Amino acid sequence: MIWNETIECMDRGQLREIQSMRLKKMVQYVYHNTPFYRKKFQEMDLSPDDINSIDDIGKLPFTNKLDLRDNYPFGLAAVPMSQIVRIHASSGTTGKPVVVLYTRKDLATWAESLSRAFTAYGATKGDIFQISYGYGLFSGGLGAHEGATNIGASVIPMSSGNTNKQITLMHDFGSTVLCCTPSYALFLGEAMKESEYPVGEFNLRIGVFGAEPWTERMRQKLEATLGLKAYDCYGLSEIAGPGVGFECECQHGAHINEDYFYPEIVDPKTGAVLPEGTLGELCFTHLTKEGMPLLRYRTHDLTALRYDRCACGRSLVRMDRILGRCDDMLIIRGVNVFPTQIETVILSMKEFEPHYLLTVDRENNTDTTELRVEVKEEFFCDEMAQMVRLQKRLDAALRSVIGIGFHVKLVEPKSIERSTGKVKRVIDNRKL
């Protein structure tokens, strides 16, 4: 199903004309309304009149998270605060929070983007959405809420946490769509199996999972555990929130709503634009945002873009599954390591749960690692030799895929702390 066939299936030449028109208008808009960008343009000896089409986007300055923090709280606003109707913000655990501002039009754009996503997943006004993303300053809960309301569906605004009540209402209210992080979805799946309700009495059919990187192996685990079809929903608060990108039924990448959010892939080190299909850092430029538009915002997410028309009929560009983040990549003994690689290896072996914790430290100028992995209940035992053999198998698989060994420690089921929001899989004590 398609929510907005005119845009989602538009000829790419036509779409490029729309993008060019909107970019020219946006550049004029930020130059005259955002002092931060006006100063940037002047420092670069760049005039808004130098931008005549989307092909000129490479002339524009990059924006990064530090720029948002340096202009905390409202320094990047392009309209008076009397026109701002919603404020979201990051947790600010690593410094000042990143603040995001929305006008009424911005909220309508966001709801439209999520309506496209939910429709692509097969959701309709007959569905009951259980929104288990966090509500509040985090954009996930309220964003998904507005999108589901926009397609006419029923919404249960659960937020995250309170797992027993989640399960009860999911059962009693007949929830058909679950929206949350993939790690919390796993936790809910475990709780469902242990609840008083038979698994067959739940009505879930669609899972909308995002806010953290996850793998194909994780998709298979989620679908088997929850009895639904799992879809990736990509977003970030600085650009809109969930709904910037969405999978269709083909699940060959996430379509980006590029009539609103123009994507580029650049070299993380040099900033040079990379060709189609090349892995690099994803950047976005707002084409319609009023409250706090950003130019060439560097997300740190690593992916690639595909421009061929999808079998679903959509012409919107597709992005590959996020490999990880530039700043999440670990360099351990000279080898680049992404947490998603570790997850893929663990989930390729039937003996393990999808729960692990990697601790990286440094002793005598040498990197050390401890990888704690939960063993499924049916495979965990007190026989030391059997556990050692399993440990060696996992270590060998990790070496084969990643190129280095880890100090693997097998632990009992449910011994690693669960998360109701974004899960923390890595502790790097070398940064302390």
Side-chain angles (χ1 to χ4, degrees), residues 230-264:
Y231 291 92
D232 191 19
C233 186
Y234 175 79
L236 62 164
S237 293
E238 298 94 320
I239 301 304
V244 173
F246 59 92
E247 288 186 311
C248 63
E249 68 267 23
C250 299
Q251 296 189 316
H252 293 152
H255 292 280
I256 293 174
N257 286 306
E258 55 177 318
D259 54 321
Y260 298 136
F261 321 112
Y262 184 79
E264 300 173 90

Side-chain angles (χ1 to χ4, degrees), residues 394-414:
L394 177 56
D395 184 53
L398 289 165
R399 285 178 185 273
S400 174
V401 172
I402 299 174
I404 61 171
F406 295 84
H407 175 59
V408 176
K409 184 176 181 181
L410 305 185
V411 298
E412 296 181 27
K414 301 178 184 175

Side-chain angles (χ1 to χ4, degrees), residues 321-340:
R321 185 176 287 278
I322 299 295
L323 173 64
R325 292 174 53 82
C326 304
D327 45 4
D328 280 350
M329 184 184 77
L330 298 161
I331 301 178
I332 301 174
R333 298 191 288 278
V335 176
N336 295 345
V337 179
F338 288 97
T340 49

Side-chain angles (χ1 to χ4, degrees), residues 121-141:
Y121 306 150
T124 70
K125 62 182 181 181
D127 278 296
I128 300 174
F129 277 67
Q130 184 153 329
I131 310 292
S132 299
Y133 287 117
Y135 279 68
L137 289 177
F138 173 62
S139 60

Side-chain angles (χ1 to χ4, degrees), residues 342-381:
I342 296 172
E343 179 180 290
T344 297
V345 174
I346 290 171
L347 289 179
S348 70
M349 301 175 67
K350 65 180 180 180
E351 294 89 351
F352 299 112
E353 297 284 0
H355 301 289
Y356 67 92
L357 180 64
L358 173 65
T359 303
V360 187
D361 219 319
R362 180 164 288 150
E363 295 178 10
N364 299 322
N365 295 318
T366 301
D367 292 336
T368 63
T369 62
E370 180 187 82
L371 179 63
R372 298 175 66 222
V373 184
E374 283 189 14
V375 180
K376 289 182 178 177
E377 192 169 353
E378 61 265 34
F379 295 103
F380 192 85
C381 68

